[in-house]
Amino acid sequence: RNATFSTKYDGVAITVMLRAPKWFHRRYTVMLHNALANIPPTWPIQIFSNEEWLQKDVLPLHPGLQNLRSQEHPRLIWTPMPTQLTKKKPKEIMKSNWLW
């Protein structure tokens, strides 16, 4: 679903979706809506995700998040992470050359 954009943005917010406890999964939809409401309207959110985990453990149980993905929201950019990064700690991912 990751697309190459030629659009110039004023800025881009990011979030990283790694493995999380099941009780936290429900918060992802609200987190994304909250971020969209609180960043400038010209900014998208780029979501780096552990795609295997998201498809298997999260999306089947959370239709709200699945709807956000299937609607191809113009301000949400879904980017799967390389498998080797999905096993690292968040601070290691944030410092990785791949992310930047």
Side-chain angles (χ1 to χ4, degrees):
R1 188 178 321 272
N2 188 21
T4 302
F5 292 97
S6 61
T7 305
K8 296 282 184 183
Y9 295 111
D10 294 334
V12 177
I14 70 164
T15 188
V16 179
M17 288 187 180
L18 300 169
R19 296 185 188 274
K22 287 193 180 193
W23 61 265
F24 194 80
H25 298 178
R26 294 184 153 193
R27 288 151 176 81
Y28 285 136
T29 305
V30 173
M31 177 187 76
L32 292 174
H33 281 293
N34 186 33
L36 287 168
N38 286 291
I39 60 175
T42 56
W43 286 35
I45 303 171
Q46 186 164 11
I47 304 151
F48 296 98
S49 61
N50 177 339
E51 199 62 23
E52 180 183 331
W53 165 76
L54 200 63
Q55 292 286 341
K56 181 180 156 225
D57 294 336
V58 179
L59 295 178
L61 301 174
H62 303 289
L65 189 59
Q66 184 135 7
N67 286 342
L68 276 177
R69 285 175 58 101
S70 66
Q71 292 171 2
E72 296 190 18
H73 193 289
R75 292 179 58 208
L76 296 178
I77 303 167
W78 295 86
T79 306
M81 292 190 315
T83 305
Q84 70 273 16
L85 279 181
T86 64
K87 296 172 179 33
K88 294 189 180 280
K89 293 183 179 184
K91 69 180 181 179
E92 293 171 350
I93 294 168
M94 296 303 285
K95 294 189 298 185
S96 72
N97 289 335
W98 177 84
L99 186 70
W100 301 105

Coordinates of all heavy atoms in Angstrom, one line a residue, residues 48-80:
F48 N 5.0 3.7 10.1 CA 5.9 2.6 9.9 C 5.4 1.4 10.7 O 5.2 1.5 11.9 CB 7.3 3.0 10.3 CG 7.9 4.1 9.5 CD1 7.9 5.4 10.0 CD2 8.4 3.9 8.3 CE1 8.4 6.4 9.2 CE2 9.0 4.9 7.5 CZ 8.9 6.2 8.0
S49 N 5.1 0.3 10.1 CA 4.5 -0.8 10.8 C 5.2 -2.1 10.6 O 5.8 -2.4 9.5 CB 3.0 -0.9 10.4 OG 2.9 -1.2 9.0
N50 N 5.0 -3.0 11.6 CA 5.4 -4.4 11.5 C 4.2 -5.0 10.8 O 3.2 -5.4 11.4 CB 5.6 -4.9 12.9 CG 5.9 -6.4 12.9 OD1 5.6 -7.1 11.9 ND2 6.5 -6.9 14.0
E51 N 4.3 -5.1 9.5 CA 3.1 -5.5 8.7 C 2.6 -6.9 8.9 O 1.4 -7.1 9.0 CB 3.5 -5.3 7.2 CG 2.3 -5.2 6.3 CD 1.4 -4.0 6.5 OE1 1.8 -3.0 7.1 OE2 0.2 -4.1 6.2
E52 N 3.5 -7.8 9.2 CA 3.1 -9.2 9.5 C 2.3 -9.2 10.7 O 1.2 -9.8 10.8 CB 4.3 -10.1 9.6 CG 4.0 -11.5 9.9 CD 5.2 -12.4 10.1 OE1 6.3 -12.1 9.5 OE2 5.1 -13.4 10.9
W53 N 2.7 -8.6 11.8 CA 2.0 -8.5 13.0 C 0.7 -7.8 12.9 O -0.4 -8.2 13.4 CB 2.9 -7.9 14.1 CG 2.2 -7.4 15.3 CD1 1.8 -8.2 16.3 CD2 1.8 -6.1 15.6 NE1 1.1 -7.5 17.3 CE2 1.2 -6.1 16.9 CE3 1.9 -4.9 15.0 CZ2 0.6 -5.0 17.5 CZ3 1.5 -3.7 15.6 CH2 0.8 -3.8 16.9
L54 N 0.7 -6.7 12.2 CA -0.5 -5.9 12.0 C -1.6 -6.7 11.3 O -2.8 -6.7 11.7 CB -0.2 -4.6 11.2 CG -1.1 -3.5 11.3 CD1 -1.2 -2.9 12.7 CD2 -0.7 -2.3 10.3
Q55 N -1.2 -7.4 10.2 CA -2.2 -8.2 9.4 C -2.7 -9.4 10.2 O -3.9 -9.7 10.2 CB -1.5 -8.7 8.1 CG -1.2 -7.6 7.1 CD -2.4 -7.1 6.4 OE1 -3.5 -7.7 6.4 NE2 -2.3 -5.9 5.9
K56 N -1.8 -10.0 11.0 CA -2.2 -11.2 11.7 C -2.9 -11.0 13.0 O -4.0 -11.6 13.3 CB -1.0 -12.1 11.9 CG -1.2 -13.4 12.6 CD 0.1 -14.1 12.8 CE 0.0 -15.1 14.0 NZ 1.1 -15.1 14.9
D57 N -2.4 -10.1 13.8 CA -2.9 -9.9 15.2 C -3.8 -8.7 15.5 O -4.5 -8.7 16.4 CB -1.7 -9.9 16.2 CG -0.9 -11.2 16.2 OD1 -1.5 -12.2 15.9 OD2 0.3 -11.1 16.6
V58 N -3.7 -7.7 14.7 CA -4.4 -6.4 15.0 C -5.6 -6.2 14.1 O -6.7 -6.1 14.6 CB -3.4 -5.2 14.9 CG1 -4.1 -3.9 15.2 CG2 -2.2 -5.4 15.8
L59 N -5.4 -6.1 12.8 CA -6.5 -5.8 11.9 C -7.7 -6.7 12.0 O -8.9 -6.2 12.0 CB -6.0 -5.7 10.5 CG -5.0 -4.6 10.2 CD1 -4.5 -4.6 8.8 CD2 -5.6 -3.2 10.6
P60 N -7.6 -8.0 12.1 CA -8.8 -8.8 12.2 C -9.7 -8.5 13.4 O -10.9 -8.7 13.4 CB -8.2 -10.3 12.4 CG -6.9 -10.2 11.8 CD -6.3 -8.8 12.1
L61 N -9.1 -7.9 14.5 CA -9.9 -7.6 15.7 C -10.3 -6.2 15.8 O -11.1 -5.8 16.7 CB -9.0 -8.0 16.9 CG -8.6 -9.4 17.0 CD1 -7.6 -9.6 18.2 CD2 -9.8 -10.4 17.1
H62 N -9.8 -5.3 14.9 CA -10.1 -3.9 15.0 C -10.5 -3.3 13.7 O -9.7 -2.8 12.9 CB -8.9 -3.2 15.6 CG -8.5 -3.8 16.9 ND1 -9.2 -3.6 18.0 CD2 -7.5 -4.6 17.2 CE1 -8.7 -4.3 19.0 NE2 -7.6 -4.9 18.6
P63 N -11.8 -3.4 13.4 CA -12.3 -2.9 12.1 C -12.1 -1.4 11.9 O -12.0 -0.9 10.7 CB -13.8 -3.2 12.1 CG -14.2 -3.4 13.6 CD -12.9 -3.9 14.2
G64 N -12.0 -0.6 13.0 CA -11.8 0.9 12.8 C -10.5 1.1 12.1 O -10.4 1.9 11.2
L65 N -9.5 0.4 12.6 CA -8.1 0.6 12.0 C -8.1 0.0 10.6 O -7.5 0.6 9.7 CB -7.1 -0.1 12.9 CG -5.6 0.1 12.5 CD1 -5.3 1.6 12.6 CD2 -4.7 -0.6 13.5
Q66 N -8.8 -1.1 10.4 CA -8.8 -1.7 9.1 C -9.5 -0.7 8.1 O -9.1 -0.6 6.9 CB -9.6 -3.0 9.1 CG -9.6 -3.7 7.8 CD -9.3 -5.2 7.9 OE1 -9.2 -5.7 9.0 NE2 -9.1 -5.8 6.8
N67 N -10.6 0.0 8.6 CA -11.3 0.9 7.7 C -10.4 2.1 7.3 O -10.4 2.5 6.2 CB -12.5 1.5 8.4 CG -13.6 0.5 8.4 OD1 -13.7 -0.5 7.7 ND2 -14.6 0.7 9.3
L68 N -9.6 2.6 8.3 CA -8.6 3.7 8.0 C -7.7 3.2 6.9 O -7.3 4.0 6.0 CB -7.8 4.1 9.2 CG -8.5 5.1 10.1 CD1 -7.6 5.3 11.3 CD2 -8.8 6.4 9.4
R69 N -7.2 2.0 6.9 CA -6.3 1.5 5.9 C -7.0 1.3 4.6 O -6.4 1.7 3.5 CB -5.6 0.2 6.4 CG -4.6 0.4 7.4 CD -4.0 -0.9 7.9 NE -3.5 -1.7 6.9 CZ -2.2 -1.9 6.7 NH1 -1.3 -1.2 7.4 NH2 -1.7 -2.7 5.8
S70 N -8.2 0.7 4.6 CA -8.8 0.4 3.3 C -9.3 1.7 2.6 O -9.5 1.6 1.4 CB -9.9 -0.6 3.5 OG -11.0 0.0 4.3
Q71 N -9.6 2.7 3.3 CA -10.1 3.9 2.7 C -9.0 4.7 2.0 O -9.3 5.7 1.3 CB -10.8 4.8 3.8 CG -12.0 4.3 4.3 CD -12.5 5.1 5.5 OE1 -11.9 6.1 5.9 NE2 -13.6 4.7 6.1
E72 N -7.8 4.3 2.2 CA -6.6 5.0 1.7 C -6.7 6.5 2.0 O -6.8 7.4 1.1 CB -6.5 4.7 0.2 CG -6.2 3.3 -0.1 CD -5.8 3.0 -1.5 OE1 -5.4 3.9 -2.3 OE2 -5.9 1.8 -1.9
H73 N -6.8 6.8 3.2 CA -6.9 8.2 3.7 C -5.8 9.0 3.1 O -4.6 8.6 3.1 CB -6.8 8.2 5.3 CG -7.2 9.4 5.9 ND1 -6.4 10.6 5.8 CD2 -8.3 9.8 6.6 CE1 -7.0 11.5 6.5 NE2 -8.1 11.1 7.0
P74 N -6.1 10.2 2.6 CA -5.1 11.0 1.9 C -3.9 11.5 2.8 O -2.9 11.9 2.3 CB -5.8 12.1 1.3 CG -7.1 12.2 2.1 CD -7.4 10.8 2.6
R75 N -4.1 11.5 4.1 CA -3.1 12.0 5.0 C -2.4 10.8 5.8 O -1.7 11.1 6.7 CB -3.7 13.0 5.9 CG -4.1 14.3 5.2 CD -4.7 15.3 6.1 NE -3.8 15.7 7.2 CZ -4.2 16.1 8.4 NH1 -5.5 16.2 8.6 NH2 -3.3 16.4 9.3
L76 N -2.7 9.6 5.4 CA -2.0 8.4 6.1 C -1.2 7.7 5.1 O -1.7 7.2 4.1 CB -3.1 7.5 6.7 CG -3.9 8.1 7.9 CD1 -4.9 7.0 8.3 CD2 -3.1 8.6 9.0
I77 N 0.1 7.6 5.4 CA 1.0 6.9 4.5 C 1.5 5.6 5.3 O 2.2 5.8 6.2 CB 2.2 7.8 4.1 CG1 1.7 9.1 3.4 CG2 3.2 7.0 3.2 CD1 2.8 10.1 3.3
W78 N 1.1 4.5 4.8 CA 1.4 3.2 5.5 C 2.7 2.7 4.9 O 2.8 2.5 3.7 CB 0.3 2.2 5.4 CG -0.9 2.6 6.1 CD1 -1.9 3.4 5.6 CD2 -1.2 2.3 7.5 NE1 -2.9 3.6 6.6 CE2 -2.5 3.0 7.7 CE3 -0.6 1.6 8.5 CZ2 -3.1 2.9 9.0 CZ3 -1.3 1.5 9.7 CH2 -2.5 2.1 10.0
T79 N 3.7 2.5 5.7 CA 5.0 2.0 5.2 C 5.5 0.8 6.0 O 5.7 0.9 7.2 CB 6.1 3.1 5.4 OG1 5.6 4.3 4.7 CG2 7.4 2.7 4.8
P80 N 5.5 -0.4 5.4 CA 6.0 -1.6 6.1 C 7.5 -1.5 6.4 O 8.2 -1.0 5.6 CB 5.7 -2.7 5.1 CG 4.9 -2.2 4.0 CD 5.1 -0.7 4.0

